[in-house]
Amino acid sequence: MERLQKVLAHAGVASRRKAEQMIQDGKVRVNGEVVKELGVKVSANDKIEVEGVQLEKETKVYYLFYKPRGVISAVSDDKNRKVVADYFQHIEQRVYPVGRLDYDTSGLILMTNDGEFAHMLTHPKFEIEKTYVARLKGIPKREELQKLERGIKLEDGMTAPAKVKMLSSEKKQSKAIVQITIHEGRNRQVRRMFDAIGYPVQKLSREQFAFLDLRGLNAGEYRELTAHEVKVLRVHAETGKRG
Ligand code: URA
């Protein structure tokens, strides 16, 4: 369910502000009834008319994007920094990110105009697995990484068990590359987890989201998900299947 003014804006009727005005002016009908209050929610099954013309349903689109570092996971930014939506300006639909990656994190992020799909994939109860590769300052010991595997206390509570694998380390430069898979999505979670064991993250990239990876893409590039991939993601979320 989405707010009527948002649905109108997404369908390209008018900006959200103008759509609100049109609703208040009595120009919009839902299932034949004029709706004047703001905040009414509608679903894909509702028939919406604007000044007597039925709304075209926007085609749902799904993209896998390789977000570069230094880009905000949003559709706009008040400080005018680059946002993920900037890479999708030439497509007809208005897509937004599914969840978020930090400004300074690169990697896989899904983009869609399907609100229900985005909600499903970001809700913690669906436990979608996400795999990150982190470059750490210092070289953690096995026992220290095991703390992350078991779950570690952060200021917003214990983390769920994670899978952690040391990929490589360089003694001389005192750096390690570690892969970590989590199924939660708290703010700056991976960075905070490594901070908690005393090894700050210097560089972070999300390499996998469920069964999807970045193969074939360079930073700043995207591809459409296949209909099958979209379906399998729904099944994963619905059945709580991880990874
Ligand atoms: N964890 C982080 O710390 N940053 C991200 O962008 C994603 C997960």
Side-chain angles (χ1 to χ4, degrees), residues 11-38:
V13 170
S15 68
R16 203 169 305 182
R17 178 68 66 73
K18 284 206 182 118
E20 287 176 356
Q21 193 57 53
M22 294 173 91
I23 294 169
Q24 287 169 322
D25 291 345
K27 292 180 176 168
V28 181
R29 283 173 190 266
V30 177
N31 302 323
E33 305 272 344
V34 172
V35 168
K36 284 192 174 181
E37 325 90 86
L38 299 177

Side-chain angles (χ1 to χ4, degrees), residues 100-102 105 132 186 188-192 204:
R100 57 189 297 281
L101 286 178
D102 298 334
T105 300
Y132 298 84
R186 301 191 218 163
R188 295 182 80 80
Q189 181 166 344
V190 172
R191 292 173 197 275
R192 290 193 290 131
L204 187 63

Side-chain angles (χ1 to χ4, degrees), residues 179-206:
Q179 184 186 65
I180 181 165
T181 302
I182 59 173
H183 61 263
E184 299 170 291
R186 301 191 218 163
N187 193 26
R188 295 182 80 80
Q189 181 166 344
V190 172
R191 292 173 197 275
R192 290 193 290 131
M193 286 172 78
F194 284 111
D195 278 342
I197 57 164
Y199 297 90
V201 170
Q202 292 183 325
K203 207 170 170 194
L204 187 63
S205 168
R206 181 152 78 189

Side-chain angles (χ1 to χ4, degrees), residues 11 15 39 46 52 54 67 74 83 87 108 124 166 174-175 181-182 186 199 203 207 209 216 218 226:
S15 68
D46 289 313
Q54 193 170 339
K67 181 183 107 53
V83 295
Y87 291 83
L108 197 166
M166 173 79 85
S174 187
K175 276 181 190 159
T181 302
I182 59 173
R186 301 191 218 163
Y199 297 90
K203 207 170 170 194
E207 306 275 316
F209 183 95
N218 293 312
T226 66

